[in-house]
């Protein structure tokens, strides 16, 4: 196994072992923190597909994270108040079933990514960053000003949504759901990276004109990557809302987008397990320093600066060295 | 003479006051190497870009495989069978040599939107990519990272990627640029064989290679073609000698 493979294995097992230890030590809050890591990592895996493999620096992934959150919030709030979402032309009820909520979140994020991507991928570089940021902020202000679902105050969901056969209110069981989804999506991301599509997308990041010259349109590759990326981040948003049992416009805020970008860069751009390392580091720092000072993000900023200046490959990249050539 | 594969008909292109192409016409017939020569700044690259679809001409038409492709972009022309190589290597430097060749094979397959089976394990793509690498003599470097290749090997890989497309015509922009004598000789041998698979429009500064390979030569000076003919005709043409070969008499 390559060095990066070993690091990935350690990260994967570590993220599983820590909450198991916490369960044994009766530290439920540590399990919640692990769940937070798994969910933020999932959002990062989504972004990593467009940012790492596709070279598309999106500062608007909060849009997908937020729409996933609101998909959960809207469905669950209607279910808890027993009011249908639509009565015409046909009656659509809310739901508390996680699998249904996930599918709705994925579909909504995918459609949104298709619309945002179709427009913003016509630009590149700093314009792309600005347009994705603008779309994210549009949704933020829309959520703030939409009173039906809580407006600024957001929506509280009193009981966590249900998954068949599990009691999701038990921290460890909810963690395992998030962990299983993260692992499944990491598997999918690994397949995509090695697939013909991934090869072409990665080449389009390096030399777009080469990809065109062999008869493949980079725009279409990027749009597909952006949609898959958005769907994954949307799924993470639905889980995140379920973790907190609360949805608010803050999920749509550009700060959320920034945090997802930061954890991907910290972990190692384009590295499969980079977002896992980045999310673990981010949550650990937030927990350890957040208690010491409200201004813990100053230290996060310093760490980010150090990574960008001295360790471009992030945590995984620095530990694993140059990417395996046969990746 | 057989029906031309590629026809450039009265193409003009200006950038502000600079006329980079002025009423340029040339064609490429099956089995030939047609060399395009001219001093620096003559507009060779601009013409190549218009042929490849990277730039739209202001006037004139470009026909390829019997179709008017003037309005088509790079992607569509590539899919019709235009195999282009670049003056400055345009390769995915972080990828291996094999991955670069696989990308070409993937483009040729016309089905790049496949997400599950690894590209490296697709037998059709592998066969096509490895055959092209074998052909140019890069089999041993297959697993090397492209950024670790020598300049000459990169030039050769450019040709290999174009080969994976099994194109109907090659458009090569200074494939010999920066090659040493031996590298240039090897590539000359390869191009000599390739012309029977697809005709080559060859932009080249290396006059030894041009005179050894070309069936016809067109001379571009200040955006105009001042002469087209066989090697002997071009060598003997007084206007060409004055304008380009730099001889005074």
């Amino acid at each position: 196994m390559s060095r990066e493979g070993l690091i990935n294995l350690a990260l994967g097992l570590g993220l599983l072992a820590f909450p198991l230890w916490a369960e044994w030590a009766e530290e439920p809050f540590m399990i919640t923190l692990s769940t937070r890591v798994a969910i933020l990592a999932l959002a990062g895996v989504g972004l990593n597909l467009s940012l790492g493999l596709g070279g598309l620096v999106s500062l608007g992934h909060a849009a997908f994270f937020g729409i996933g959150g609101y998909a959960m919030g809207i469905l669950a709030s209607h279910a808890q108040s027993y009011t249908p979402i639509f009565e015409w032309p046909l009656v659509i009820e809310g739901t508390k079933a996680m699998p249904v909520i996930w599918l709705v979140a994925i579909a909504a994020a995918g459609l949104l990514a298709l619309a945002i991507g179709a427009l913003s991928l016509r630009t590149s570089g700093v314009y792309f960053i600005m347009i994705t940021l603008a779309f994210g902020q549009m949704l933020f202000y829309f959520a703030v000003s939409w009173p039906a679902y809580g407006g600024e105050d957001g929506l509280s969901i009193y009981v966590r949504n249900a998954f068949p056969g599990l009691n999701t209110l038990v921290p460890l069981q909810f963690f395992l759901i998030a962990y299983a989804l993260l692992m499944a999506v990491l598997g999918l991301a690994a397949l995509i990276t090695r697939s013909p599509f991934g090869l072409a997308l990665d080449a389009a990041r390096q030399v777009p004109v080469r990809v065109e010259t062999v008869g493949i349109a980079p725009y279409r590759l990027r749009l597909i990557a952006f949609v898959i990326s958005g769907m994954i981040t949307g799924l993470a948003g639905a889980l995140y809302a379920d973790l907190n049992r609360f949805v608010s416009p803050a999920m749509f805020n550009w700060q959320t987008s920034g945090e997802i970008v930061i954890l991907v860069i910290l972990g190692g751009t384009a590295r499969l397990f980079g977002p896992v390392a980045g999310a673990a580091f981010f949550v650990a720092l937030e927990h350890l320093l957040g208690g010491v000072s409200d201004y813990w993000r100053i230290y996060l900023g310093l760490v980010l600066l150090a990574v960008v200046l001295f360790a471009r490959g992030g945590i995984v990249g620095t530990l694993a060295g140059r990417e395996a050539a046969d990746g | 003479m057989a029906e031309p594969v590629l026809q450039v008909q009265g193409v003009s292109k200006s950038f502000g006051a600079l006329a980079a192409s002025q009423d340029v016409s040339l064609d490429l017939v099956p089995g030939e190497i047609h060399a395009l020569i001219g001093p620096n700044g003559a507009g060779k690259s601009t013409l190549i870009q218009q042929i490849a679809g990277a730039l739209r001409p202001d006037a004139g038409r470009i026909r390829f495989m019997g179709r008017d492709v003037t309005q088509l972009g790079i992607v569509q022309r590539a899919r019709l069978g235009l195999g282009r190589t670049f003056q400055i290597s345009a390769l995915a430097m972080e990828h291996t040599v094999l991955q670069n060749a696989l990308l070409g094979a993937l483009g040729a397959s016309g089905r790049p939107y496949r997400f599950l089976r690894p590209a490296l394990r697709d037998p059709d793509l592998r066969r096509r990519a490895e055959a092209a690498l074998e052909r140019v003599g890069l089999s041993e470097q297959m697993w090397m990272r492209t950024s670790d290749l020598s300049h000459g090997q990169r030039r050769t890989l450019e040709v290999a990627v174009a080969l994976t497309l099994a194109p109907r015509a090659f458009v090569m922009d200074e494939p010999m640029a920066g090659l040493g004598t031996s590298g240039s000789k090897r590539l000359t041998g390869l191009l000599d064989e390739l012309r029977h698979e697809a005709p080559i429009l060859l932009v080249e500064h290396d006059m030894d290679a041009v005179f050894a390979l070309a069936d016809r030569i067109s001379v571009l000076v200040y955006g105009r073609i001042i002469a087209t003919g066989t090697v002997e005709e071009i060598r003997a043409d007084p206007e060409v000698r004055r304008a380009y070969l730099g001889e005074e008499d």
Side-chain angles (χ1 to χ4, degrees), chain A residues 133-143:
Chain A
L133 175 65
F135 275 114
Q137 287 304 93
M138 270 166 56
L139 284 156
F140 170 72
Y141 288 112
F142 179 73

Side-chain angles (χ1 to χ4, degrees), chain B residues 46-70:
Chain B
T46 305
L47 184 59
I48 291 296
Q49 288 194 301
Q50 292 174 87
I51 293 171
L55 282 176
R56 296 277 183 287
D58 298 335
R61 288 197 306 166
I62 295 169
R63 295 178 63 80
F64 179 55
M65 301 297 297
R67 279 184 60 176
D68 185 338
V69 298
T70 316

Side-chain angles (χ1 to χ4, degrees), chain A residues 88-109:
Chain A
W88 192 90
L90 66 170
V91 178
I92 296 179
E93 305 273 0
T95 178
K96 296 285 283 178
M98 277 190 191
V100 179
I101 288 172
W102 297 341
L103 287 178
V104 172
I106 291 170

Side-chain angles (χ1 to χ4, degrees), chain A residues 59-69 108-109 112-113 116 132 135-137 139-140 230 233-234 251-253 256-257 260:
Chain A
L59 206 48
H61 261 50
F64 313 125
F65 198 61
I67 202 141
L112 184 64
I116 294 180
T132 52
F135 275 114
Q137 287 304 93
L139 284 156
F140 170 72
T233 302
M251 280 183 79
F252 277 123
N253 203 341
T256 306
S257 297
I260 305 174

Side-chain angles (χ1 to χ4, degrees), chain A residues 194 196 202 205-206 210 322, chain B residues 90 94-95 117 119 145:
Chain A
R194 288 170 168 76
D202 198 11
R205 172 181 59 82
Q206 300 173 50
R210 161 57 63 203
R322 196 157 101 166
Chain B
E94 296 169 27
H95 281 173
R117 180 157 61 177
R145 212 174 148 101

Side-chain angles (χ1 to χ4, degrees), chain A:
Chain A
M1 193 183 274
S2 70
R3 198 148 114 202
E4 185 167 348
L6 288 173
I7 293 169
N8 293 350
L9 190 68
L11 283 167
L13 290 178
L15 182 56
L16 183 61
F18 186 72
L20 289 177
W21 163 81
E23 176 80 1
W24 173 78
E26 296 180 18
E27 295 262 20
F29 184 62
M30 290 296 149
I31 302 178
T32 303
L33 283 186
S34 309
T35 313
R36 197 172 145 77
V37 170
I39 293 170
L40 289 179
L42 185 61
V45 174
L47 179 66
N48 208 11
L49 263 183
S50 62
L51 192 153
L53 201 59
L56 308 168
V57 184
S58 161
L59 206 48
H61 261 50
F64 313 125
F65 198 61
I67 202 141
Y70 271 85
M72 174 280 191
I74 291 171
L75 288 169
S77 69
H78 281 278
Q80 80 187 3
S81 64
Y82 300 101
T83 50
I85 300 172
F86 291 111
E87 289 182 275
W88 192 90
L90 66 170
V91 178
I92 296 179
E93 305 273 0
T95 178
K96 296 285 283 178
M98 277 190 191
V100 179
I101 288 172
W102 297 341
L103 287 178
V104 172
I106 291 170
L111 284 173
L112 184 64
L114 186 65
I116 294 180
L119 292 168
S120 53
L121 287 169
R122 297 188 183 281
T123 65
S124 60
V126 81
Y127 299 99
F128 179 77
I129 298 176
M130 286 299 126
I131 289 189
T132 52
L133 175 65
F135 275 114
Q137 287 304 93
M138 270 166 56
L139 284 156
F140 170 72
Y141 288 112
F142 179 73
V144 165
S145 59
W146 197 21
Y149 296 104
E152 275 188 276
D153 301 329
L155 269 174
S156 282
I157 305 300
Y158 304 114
V159 180
R160 191 169 282 154
N161 294 303
F163 190 86
L166 293 176
N167 179 356
T168 55
L169 281 168
V170 175
L172 189 65
Q173 297 202 12
F174 185 59
F175 167 79
L176 288 173
I177 290 174
Y179 182 79
L181 285 173
L182 172 64
M183 289 300 138
V185 170
L186 279 170
L188 187 73
L191 280 179
I192 291 176
T193 305
R194 288 170 168 76
S195 71
F197 171 80
L199 178 77
L201 179 66
D202 198 11
R205 172 181 59 82
Q206 300 173 50
V207 260
V209 68
R210 161 57 63 203
V211 176
E212 289 180 89
T213 304
V214 302
I216 305 174
Y219 175 78
R220 200 185 292 181
L221 293 170
R222 290 175 183 147
L223 185 57
I224 292 172
F226 196 71
V227 168
I228 299 174
S229 167
M231 292 197 296
I232 296 173
T233 302
L235 174 62
L239 287 169
Y240 190 77
D242 235 334
L243 173 69
N244 301 322
R245 279 171 278 159
F246 177 64
V247 195
S248 80
M251 280 183 79
F252 277 123
N253 203 341
W254 65 274
Q255 197 175 337
T256 306
S257 297
E259 285 178 357
I260 305 174
V261 171
I262 287 172
L263 68 89
V264 168
I265 292 173
L266 280 180
T269 319
R271 303 294 180 141
L272 183 61
F273 272 69
V276 180
F281 188 82
F282 183 85
V283 171
L285 208 65
E286 179 186 52
H287 176 65
L288 296 173
L289 296 177
V292 179
S293 159
D294 283 345
Y295 305 107
W296 69 276
R297 281 195 173 78
I298 291 177
Y299 301 102
L300 178 68
L302 288 176
V303 172
L304 188 65
L305 211 59
V307 165
V308 172
L309 288 177
F310 306 114
R312 282 286 180 82
I315 299 170
V316 174
T318 306
L319 294 175
R322 196 157 101 166
E323 252 162 309
D326 61 355

